[in-house]
Amino acid sequence: MRHFFGRRPKAAATGPTAEHDRPQRSVAGISSSIKTFPSGIKLFHSPEHAIADIVFVHGLAGDREKTWTARDASDPWPKALLPSELPTARVLTFGYDAYVADWRGVVAQKRIGNHAWNLLTSLATYRERDETNKRPIVFVCHSLGGLVCEDALVTSRQRPEEHLQNILQSTRGIAFLGTPHHGAGLARWAELLSRHIGLVKQTNTEIVAVLRRESEVLARIQDGFHTMVKARSREGQGQIDITCFFEELPLPGVGQVVPQHSAILPGYIPIGIHSNHMDMARFVSADDPGFTAVCGELRRWIKEIDTSERRHWEAPASDYTGRSGDGQDGYTSSAARFLVPYTSNPDFVGRSDILELLKSQLGHGQPLTGGASQPRACLYGLGGIGKTQIALGYAFWLRETHPDVSVFWVHASNAERFRQAYGFLAQECQVPGYDDPKTDVLPLVKRWLERKDCGRWLMVVDNADDTQLFFGQQGGSKNGSAFSHEGSLGRYLPECSHGAILVTTRNKQTGLKLTKGKHPIEIGRMDDDETAQLLRARLGGIDAASDESSALSSQLEHLPLALVQAAAFIQENSITIGEYLRLLDKSEQNAIDLLSEEFETDGRDSETPRAVAETWILSFEQIQRQNVFAGELLSLMSLFDRQDVPLKFLSHYGKQQGEEQRGEVQLTKALGVLKAFCFVVEDRDRRFDMHRLVQLVTQRWLDRKGTMGRFAEQALSVVSQAYPYGSYENRAICSALLPHVHAVLRLVSTGSKDERLARASLLHCAAGFFSYQGQWTEAEKFQLQARGLRREVLGEEHPSTLTSMANLASTSRVLGEEHPSTLTSMANLAYTWKSQARLGDALDLIKTCFHHQQQVLGRDHPDTVSTLCFLEEWREQDGKTGSLEMINGSGW
């Protein structure tokens, strides 16, 4: 534990150890000769012709030299190892007093903002002194030092002084080593240590509080840093290269201090170092894997700085116009293009595993070498799940890590936009022949990109949802595709080994074809940490209690677009997360209205709806155009319970339509379309689930089209015919299908004869299951509804009506022979039996009924009087006394 928090550095034998030593002060029981903490800037190495400054910033309980010095080493590695690897870089280190628990009872009481200000002013002054204030800067920060660096850069942007502004303007890269961007365990362990040693110790409470997860100061630092990065991109000042290193081993006796999810920033390179939190910043030799990884990033950045500077001062204008000076082909690979219509999204979080997978599939994670085949990858998932944002994050990462690779963005939602994107590419890159009005731009751009002297490139084909748009009509069944699109855009995608293609699509089937059978990457819902980060970033200063954030994420199915939409509504209307949740939970109509709210966000196509509901409705319409049967199945399934929809429901619907084409093959293809768009998920038992939000939006779509009544009747009919009468033999299937029974019975009745009879049959069968389970009240309620519907449609004497009445009487008896409902059922059944000439049965039943009515209801109760009138009428019609004399004993 002592090793974890470090030691106060010893006094130097001769000369000062810091450029800005502070006055000493004595502590009881401690020699006054102990030097204060070394702070400010110290020079490690200065070559004659330096092109960049590398500035090291230590972390919690660290030291500007010892943090970077291995146990058996005499010098810190930035001084001993780095100069030979990066001979054109000046190496500086910054020190500040950031002890949490001081062994001698002395703790600095400075906030992170104070340390950030000292870093900013110290570095600016140092560079002003030798007139290197315009030189590019790369920061290497360990632990808390990363937060200090972020805050210093934010402050640099806010200050009016030019020499302070120069720090941010000169910053080219930041290597974060175990920085707690989203909280860490250091505070907890610091407090435990203070209590454990049992001595009078002080704790720097300001710093400790910052490191607690959900800290307001931490949130402020992160928000400010992301806003600054976004503003730099928007203002055309260039991106800051960022690499996040995370610890892979636990600290002995403590555990993992900063977990990976806290140490990385979404959209930037994450690299693991096989050491604990303290040793990840200490390297023994140039062969140390950690040193190799960190030095590799620094070397790449310094090389880019060198290349950039040389281009700025030496390169001819042709490097920036896309025209070469050799007169051969009119273009050159030296001018990489970044034709992306969006700025970097600073609120993009998580998805680091997918970004790593893309690097592997597209070949950008390894050295760029020529290959025989073209790398292609595909991201597919629900609309609003974050496919475009991931592609955008990858594009900006590629620009920073491989500036010689061009990036082209092609909108592919329809043929017109695809052609427009190619036209823009041809114009910006000055493709020979682009300005000839007779030239077809699609094959022109394809041929140009396939030329090796075009250089390496990545093409992002965004929103490629329509299979027919790229591959033409796939069969002409009227139950399959609803129309045939002219042309096949797929043939205009360039094929070559020096170019890669990244496709985003809502349709897995399209993705499979565009990647030539390579399995697409499914983009699923975000996890709890990712959604918490997203909400924190989007809500800014609005309080977001963790339990409310978690509840909101759960309600919105952890879908990024839905969460961003909710955050926008919360901010625009100045409400809390709790108030939004109350609106969301109050009714399904409220939920639909909230999902239909338009809002603004970064990195989203201006022609694509922002609202979640409208985004999905576009997909629904695409499905209906591609496969009519699939659209019908989606409509039908939205009216069942959203979980465990059995295949037999859908198969039965296909057969109900009376068309041979809707057999097993057509059903399989239609379901394939729905699964490809991620609107339904199939399990091993061939049962299907649907997102709650997808279900609500589909129902809104049915209302909008005016087809809700049609599919409601079909859904009720399907469940009615599939649900057996409740009995011991059918108990398992009745229980499994019961949620669907409740779902379809809640639908508004169309009033048709078929619909009412199907509803009555379903009520009758479900009542039988309730009776089997002993749920007599529920059974009676369902049988009463069944009897009423059958009486209305079929008449009093129809066998189905009589069956319902008999079952109702049987159910009522369970409630007791003196229960009012039982007496009513008995009287009704007696009347029916009399009409069927079952006089003996009718007489026995009515006698029992009349007897109990007198005792329970009284002789003057309307029901008792009604039964008496019935008997009198019967006596008059019969004209005899023999058959009724036995009743006389009852006293009427």
Side-chain angles (χ1 to χ4, degrees), residues 169-190:
Q169 293 171 0
S170 301
T171 299
R172 299 289 190 274
I174 308 174
F176 292 110
L177 279 67
T179 294
H181 298 290
H182 311 295
L186 286 172
R188 180 168 65 91
W189 291 112

Side-chain angles (χ1 to χ4, degrees), residues 615-787:
T615 295
W616 288 345
I617 285 175
L618 282 181
S619 295
F620 299 161
E621 293 171 349
Q622 174 63 42
I623 288 171
Q624 194 170 46
R625 289 193 297 269
Q626 181 174 333
N627 189 302
V628 174
F629 190 23
E632 292 176 359
L633 291 181
L634 178 67
S635 302
L636 187 75
M637 293 171 72
S638 72
L639 301 178
F640 300 136
D641 186 83
R642 69 182 186 89
Q643 294 181 313
D644 291 330
V645 177
L647 180 64
K648 68 178 180 181
F649 279 8
L650 311 178
S651 177
H652 182 72
Y653 170 80
K655 294 175 182 177
Q656 269 188 335
Q657 306 313 300
E659 299 185 27
E660 294 180 2
Q661 296 93 326
R662 290 187 166 177
E664 187 173 0
V665 173
Q666 291 300 319
L667 178 62
T668 300
K669 292 176 67 175
L671 289 171
V673 172
L674 298 184
K675 289 185 289 184
F677 275 86
C678 299
F679 284 130
V680 301
V681 179
E682 182 179 7
D683 65 16
R684 294 180 179 179
D685 298 323
R686 302 224 68 185
R687 293 177 177 270
F688 300 88
D689 291 349
M690 176 182 286
H691 283 290
R692 170 180 169 269
L693 301 184
V694 172
Q695 182 183 49
L696 292 178
V697 174
T698 308
Q699 292 174 4
R700 161 64 67 91
W701 183 51
L702 294 180
D703 278 332
R704 183 181 295 183
K705 294 196 304 173
T707 57
M708 174 63 84
R710 169 195 163 195
F711 285 104
E713 186 167 330
Q714 293 287 354
L716 183 65
S717 174
V718 165
V719 179
S720 177
Q721 295 187 48
Y723 199 85
Y725 184 79
S727 62
Y728 176 81
E729 293 79 9
N730 298 324
R731 65 191 185 281
I733 189 171
C734 285
S735 177
L737 299 184
L738 193 59
H740 302 295
V741 172
H742 289 303
V744 297
L745 288 178
R746 284 194 296 267
L747 298 173
V748 177
S749 174
T750 63
S752 71
K753 178 180 178 180
D754 290 341
E755 189 271 340
R756 287 188 291 166
L757 288 178
R759 185 179 291 268
S761 175
L762 185 55
L763 287 163
H764 171 75
C765 293
F769 180 61
F770 290 134
S771 295
Y772 165 76
Q773 289 187 309
Q775 297 176 257
W776 311 115
T777 302
E778 199 72 11
E780 181 191 25
K781 182 177 72 174
F782 272 46
Q783 283 292 8
L784 278 170
Q785 295 179 57
R787 184 197 66 182

Side-chain angles (χ1 to χ4, degrees), residues 363-384:
H364 297 132
Q366 301 82 33
L368 294 175
T369 58
S373 61
Q374 180 183 47
R376 292 193 179 193
C378 172
L379 305 174
Y380 83 97
L382 275 175

Side-chain angles (χ1 to χ4, degrees), residues 340-385:
V340 176
Y342 311 115
T343 59
S344 178
N345 183 1
D347 296 330
F348 176 72
V349 299
R351 310 299 196 177
S352 57
D353 55 337
I354 297 173
L355 291 172
E356 288 300 312
L357 189 56
L358 284 178
K359 295 173 191 177
S360 173
Q361 291 193 6
L362 294 174
H364 297 132
Q366 301 82 33
L368 294 175
T369 58
S373 61
Q374 180 183 47
R376 292 193 179 193
C378 172
L379 305 174
Y380 83 97
L382 275 175
I385 201 68

